[in-house]
Amino acid sequence: MPHSSNSPADHPDFSTSPAVHHSSLRPEPADEAVGSPAQRAFRQAVLDVENLRQRLRDLEADQADARRRYWQHVGPLAQAVVTARQALFPPLEEALLLHFFSRAEEQQITSLIVANAHSLRDRFGEDATEILQRYATYHKSQNTTTTKPDSYQDDVNQASEPQRGGQRRKTKAQRAQEAAEREAQAQQQSLLGNTKAVYRQLARANHPDLERDPERAQAKTIRMQQITEAYEANDLYTLLQLLSEHSTDADAASDDLLTRYTQALHRQQTELKQRMNELKLGANGFFGSTGKKQEAELRQLKRHLRAEAEYLQHIGHVITEPNGLRDLLKQLAAEGHESI
């Protein structure tokens, strides 16, 4: 029943390159001042990204453990609710074939079927595609001519023209900001997918044939082998590490390239922080709580699920009789409910 979704990373995972161990991401204290400012900034950006990734991995592991404990506690009760809700579909669908109910009542029954399917899908991760495909379109068409009381819509209708104008101006500004963010992200993705630029920069600085000193030429020969292997493996991370470690202080082009990649890493830091906040405060925020608070929430949830299962089982018996279903429809309408 529990399900999770993993959004794809927008950028390469610098922290898990097969050619580099995590220990190499942490510069030794003696090396922190080595290289140009661009080189040092890049190495620090890599370290910051790795630290954030480690914190994110720890948080995901903690929440995975909490999720396992959660389903150990509420799994049986949640399954009871799922079973009871699934048992509502046959009598509700059969009721639509009886020609016992008015058109308005049939529309209400259809609404109950759709709402029940949404509950199973959205709350418990159950596959309700077949039910939704069968009834959702009909349900939508039946409601296109019906105006429902909506306090939010009333508030919008009562808004003054100056307020609406401000809302339009704000929306326009938001669109411009979102477009700029999309463009920046596209540029960063293009940058982070380009190993050729880094390879050319390294090759110019490390070609052994351009070195007169035999010892330095030998060192550059070894380095060029590393550069070529990384390029052939499309290993951007190793190429950037070599660029940050071995380009000369006077190599302005290398520094400029490192600066651009450092900016991309800063963007990764922002995205990682956002992901951590989503895990802590989003829909799965429960799994980030600990101790007594989590235990209290579990007890409350179990009470709700147990009561829901018992109520659904009672409803399941009631709606097997047409008159019982009609009484339920009247009760739900009187209370303003469209779902069980």
Side-chain angles (χ1 to χ4, degrees):
M1 263 177 301
H3 63 289
S4 61
S5 59
N6 296 322
S7 56
D10 291 330
H11 308 304
D13 186 349
F14 288 139
S15 67
T16 57
S17 172
V20 181
H21 298 289
H22 292 319
S23 59
S24 66
L25 301 178
R26 297 172 173 80
E28 297 295 331
D31 295 337
E32 289 180 355
V34 174
S36 67
Q39 291 172 315
R40 295 197 299 272
F42 173 78
R43 290 196 292 266
Q44 184 60 50
V46 170
L47 178 60
D48 292 341
V49 166
E50 167 57 13
N51 289 337
L52 283 170
R53 286 191 179 279
Q54 186 58 52
R55 288 168 56 191
L56 180 60
R57 285 192 291 266
D58 292 342
L59 178 60
E60 288 173 337
D62 290 342
Q63 291 202 356
D65 183 64
R67 193 175 292 109
R68 284 191 296 270
R69 289 186 283 109
Y70 168 86
W71 285 105
Q72 286 175 355
H73 282 84
V74 307
L77 290 172
Q79 184 58 57
V81 172
V82 168
T83 301
R85 284 198 172 277
Q86 289 173 335
L88 298 180
F89 288 127
L92 289 174
E93 290 184 282
E94 290 173 8
L96 293 175
L97 304 175
L98 295 177
H99 304 292
F100 177 83
F101 299 95
S102 67
R103 184 172 181 179
E105 289 172 331
E106 288 181 352
Q107 180 179 332
Q108 192 178 1
I109 293 170
T110 304
S111 297
L112 294 181
I113 293 173
V114 172
N116 194 48
H118 278 298
S119 181
L120 285 167
R121 184 193 66 183
D122 300 339
R123 293 174 58 202
F124 302 101
E126 294 294 309
D127 184 5
T129 304
E130 183 180 351
I131 291 289
L132 289 174
Q133 288 178 341
R134 192 183 310 161
Y135 292 101
T137 303
Y138 170 79
H139 172 62
K140 182 178 180 180
S141 66
Q142 291 295 313
N143 282 279
T144 53
T145 57
T146 305
T147 302
K148 301 176 185 178
D150 191 332
S151 58
Y152 173 76
Q153 188 63 44
D154 291 342
D155 292 340
V156 173
N157 292 337
Q158 294 171 5
S160 63
E161 287 304 316
Q163 287 175 323
R164 292 185 180 185
Q167 188 175 24
R168 282 196 297 270
R169 287 193 297 272
K170 182 179 179 181
T171 302
K172 185 177 180 180
Q174 287 175 338
R175 287 193 192 127
Q177 182 179 357
E178 290 173 358
E181 290 176 353
R182 285 194 299 270
E183 182 179 357
Q185 187 171 6
Q187 291 175 352
Q188 298 292 7
Q189 288 175 336
S190 176
L191 178 68
L192 289 171
N194 185 10
T195 58
K196 184 176 291 186
V198 188
Y199 171 76
R200 288 174 175 172
Q201 200 67 38
L202 282 165
R204 280 195 295 267
N206 293 279
H207 203 291
D209 293 344
L210 303 178
E211 184 60 59
R212 295 181 179 181
D213 183 87
E215 292 185 3
R216 292 173 64 89
Q218 184 179 3
K220 286 190 173 182
T221 298
I222 296 173
R223 199 175 303 145
M224 271 304 300
Q225 291 176 348
Q226 296 174 325
I227 293 168
T228 302
E229 289 175 0
Y231 177 65
E232 291 176 350
N234 199 33
D235 186 352
L236 176 62
Y237 178 84
T238 297
L239 290 173
L240 288 170
Q241 283 290 87
L242 291 168
L243 188 64
S244 72
E245 293 167 1
H246 300 298
S247 61
T248 63
D249 291 347
D251 191 346
S254 295
D255 278 0
D256 179 66
L257 194 58
L258 279 175
T259 299
R260 291 163 61 198
Y261 279 102
T262 300
Q263 293 170 352
L265 288 169
H266 288 163
R267 185 178 185 86
Q268 275 195 327
Q269 292 176 36
T270 300
E271 293 170 355
L272 288 167
K273 291 175 182 177
Q274 290 174 344
R275 173 61 179 155
M276 291 174 65
N277 287 334
E278 289 171 1
L279 287 177
K280 291 178 180 178
L281 307 175
N284 292 326
F286 165 82
F287 299 113
S289 60
T290 57
K292 294 182 178 180
K293 180 180 178 181
Q294 192 177 87
E295 294 299 324
E297 291 175 349
L298 278 172
R299 287 195 297 271
Q300 183 179 16
L301 180 58
K302 288 168 70 174
R303 285 196 296 269
H304 284 307
L305 288 172
R306 187 177 293 108
E308 183 178 357
E310 293 174 355
Y311 174 71
L312 290 169
Q313 290 166 2
H314 167 70
I315 293 298
H317 292 299
V318 169
I319 63 177
T320 57
E321 296 292 333
N323 287 323
L325 176 54
R326 174 168 282 170
D327 290 340
L328 174 66
L329 297 176
K330 292 178 180 178
Q331 178 185 348
L332 293 174
E335 296 173 356
H337 296 310
E338 290 188 352
S339 61
I340 298 174

